[in-house]
Amino acid sequence: MKAVIIGGGIAGTVTAMALRRAGIEASVHEAYASGGEDAGAFLTIMHNGMDALRAIGADGPVIGNSFGAVGLELVTPDGRTVDRRSYDLDGLAGPRTMTRASLYRTLQEEAISRGIAVERGKRLVSASPGVARFEDGSTAEGDILIGADGLRSVVRTIIDPDCPPPRSTGLDVVYGYTTDTSVPQAPSIYRMVQSLHAFFGYTSVPDGSTYWFARLPTAEGVRVGLSAAEWRSVALAAFDGEPLPAAEIIRSTGDDVFGGHSYDVPSTPVWSTESMVLVGDAAHAASPAAGQGASMALEDSVVLAQCLRDLPDAPTAFAAYERLRRARVEKLVASSAALSSGTTSEEGRNWLYRHHIEWDETITA
């Protein structure tokens, strides 16, 4: 069996490595010339995501290019810390934080080092059983096609032309980085702050710089094409004057600010055909609130490879993979959406915050 994987991000590269470990040849075809075009955002791989990487021996490169944390704090609008949680690492590394671009580079380099072909500048335009066709006129042939092409998946629309489009979460998300070590620090922890009108989170890197994000309730299309300075001003306006460290941290930030609207994919009716299947955000994109999007994609990659290794044919493997994954990922998307929208009770919000670190299903080789 040979697999053609569309998308060179998290799900695509790790699926290729998991398939190779299962004895299945795979090639990766990335639309962007460099991969990791979403250079501004950072993300966290939680314990379950690290379990998935560990199952295929790919956790080491990620650990080497990221930084970890030992716990999480929840802070209310009046500045009170209402909950502290320590990560029970049990001798294992996790969770890990890094920029999306760095994670893409790390995983692509690891895939290439294992002999996997990673072709960039290959934007899929159409596919039929056995053949993928790209915008530059080239093609790739294989027995199965795996759509790891993210939120705006082309493969998803090929599998099901009537699939629902991504849904607005009603949030703009702004990411920033400051090297000012005089601002309030959160060394080795993730500090999550619920303000009166928005949500702010930050963590400090071992070198003293700070990664931060802000989730701002906003209708789709209100803020389009903003510069770094404009996104910084928008984020600052949401927190200025509140008894929280958010405004001070945002003010200290230069041009390393990136923003955009957030979407999710709560349910994809059709995950596969006899020769095509979806993984990661192509099947089930979540809002960033629960911090589990990357980890769920990593789980998908390993479980799909296990099914293709252990079952007699692709359709049977795809059906088993969906049975194993659908309920879990749709629960995560729904939980994250509820947290993003603020529709849960205080008790429910606290449960969801804690759930950020408790999706602890172990993935083994």
Side-chain angles (χ1 to χ4, degrees):
M1 182 183 290
K2 179 180 179 182
V4 173
I5 299 174
I6 306 302
I10 300 166
T13 51
V14 175
T15 298
M17 288 188 276
L19 288 174
R20 187 175 184 86
R21 194 177 182 94
I24 299 170
E25 181 183 355
S27 57
V28 176
H29 305 266
E30 164 62 42
Y32 294 92
S34 62
E37 81 291 349
D38 186 11
F42 62 88
L43 51 77
T44 298
I45 301 176
M46 302 304 293
H47 302 77
N48 51 310
M50 293 305 297
D51 281 344
L53 288 170
R54 194 172 298 111
I56 61 168
D59 55 321
V62 171
I63 293 170
N65 288 280
S66 62
F67 62 93
V70 298
L72 176 146
E73 290 184 355
L74 309 178
V75 182
T76 59
D78 60 5
R80 292 180 300 114
T81 298
V82 294
D83 200 0
R84 289 186 176 91
R85 297 280 163 161
S86 296
Y87 297 127
D88 182 9
L89 300 182
D90 193 26
L92 301 176
R96 308 295 300 184
T97 297
M98 61 197 304
T99 67
R100 184 178 293 274
S102 178
L103 179 58
Y104 281 10
R105 285 193 300 271
T106 298
L107 293 176
Q108 288 181 7
E109 289 171 2
E110 180 65 16
I112 291 168
S113 75
R114 298 183 182 199
I116 296 166
V118 178
E119 298 189 25
R120 300 183 178 91
K122 298 296 180 181
R123 185 173 297 278
L124 185 73
V125 292
S126 66
S128 56
V131 182
R133 302 175 185 84
F134 302 105
E135 192 174 64
D136 64 2
S138 64
T139 61
E141 297 184 4
D143 302 293
I144 60 173
L145 179 76
I146 299 175
D149 49 343
L151 180 73
R152 306 289 179 182
S153 172
V154 174
V155 179
R156 184 171 65 233
T157 62
I158 293 172
I159 288 175
D160 179 11
D162 296 322
C163 65
R167 177 182 68 177
S168 167
T169 63
L171 294 171
D172 283 347
V173 183
V174 185
Y175 298 88
Y177 309 87
T178 177
T179 58
D180 185 347
T181 57
S182 69
V183 301
Q185 298 277 297
S188 300
I189 63 168
Y190 303 115
R191 185 167 288 132
M192 307 297 188
V193 181
Q194 177 65 63
S195 81
L196 296 174
H197 307 293
F199 190 92
F200 187 82
Y202 65 106
T203 185
S204 298
V205 188
D207 68 7
S209 58
T210 295
Y211 285 25
W212 61 266
F213 71 88
R215 296 201 302 265
L216 313 175
T218 316
E220 181 181 12
V222 172
R223 303 184 185 113
V224 179
L226 271 60
S227 67
E230 289 169 330
W231 277 119
R232 184 175 57 245
S233 294
V234 167
L236 181 59
F239 301 100
D240 202 15
E242 294 190 356
L244 300 166
E248 183 178 352
I249 292 170
I250 295 169
R251 282 195 194 94
S252 74
T253 304
D255 291 333
D256 285 334
V257 182
F258 311 84
H261 199 68
S262 174
Y263 297 84
D264 66 8
V265 177
S267 181
T268 298
V270 183
W271 280 29
S272 65
T273 66
E274 289 192 352
S275 61
M276 302 182 193
V277 67
L278 303 173
V279 293
D281 282 359
H284 51 76
S287 79
Q292 274 285 346
S295 295
M296 289 291 156
L298 293 168
E299 288 187 359
D300 279 0
S301 298
V302 175
V303 172
L304 176 60
Q306 290 172 327
C307 291
L308 286 165
R309 178 193 65 189
D310 296 339
L311 296 170
D313 54 56
T316 304
F318 293 165
Y321 157 72
E322 182 175 346
R323 284 196 303 271
L324 289 168
R325 299 298 299 154
R326 181 181 282 275
R328 178 172 170 82
V329 296
E330 289 186 355
K331 177 183 177 183
L332 179 278
V333 175
S335 297
S336 195
L339 181 55
S340 294
S341 67
T343 58
T344 57
S345 65
E346 182 176 355
E347 179 181 359
R349 284 195 297 274
N350 287 339
W351 180 86
L352 285 165
Y353 293 144
R354 292 194 296 273
H355 220 54
H356 180 273
I357 63 172
E358 291 173 357
W359 292 86
D360 56 1
E361 179 178 293
T362 299
I363 300 296
T364 57

